[in-house]
Amino acid sequence: MKFAVEQIVAIVALACELPASSGRPISHWSPGALAAEAVKRGIVETISPRSVGRFLKGSRPPTASGPVLAEQ
């Protein structure tokens, strides 16, 4: 299933919210809880927790492969 950029951005933004603001009694979002909340809010009709996880993993900055600080 393909998702629009706007949908992906909305799901990533949702992940930045506290779950309690959505009435969820959890301290951190899980991919499954995010998927359920995205459907509940009408962001998407259906989405798997795995797809949510891929979106979040893809939004992280890449890790450095070498030294982060310049050598002097």
Side-chain angles (χ1 to χ4, degrees):
M1 177 174 241
K2 295 223 178 208
F3 297 96
V5 172
E6 294 82 5
Q7 292 172 307
I8 296 169
V9 170
I11 291 169
V12 172
L14 174 60
C16 295
E17 296 178 13
L18 292 174
S21 67
S22 297
R24 295 193 177 260
I26 53 177
S27 60
H28 294 81
W29 287 110
S30 68
L34 279 169
E37 187 65 25
V39 171
K40 179 180 172 187
R41 291 188 184 191
I43 296 170
V44 292
E45 286 186 33
T46 183
I47 190 168
S48 70
R50 186 173 179 169
S51 290
V52 170
R54 280 196 305 269
F55 296 157
L56 298 178
K57 185 175 181 179
S59 66
R60 291 184 189 152
T63 58
S65 59
V68 177
L69 301 174
E71 294 180 23
Q72 294 182 343

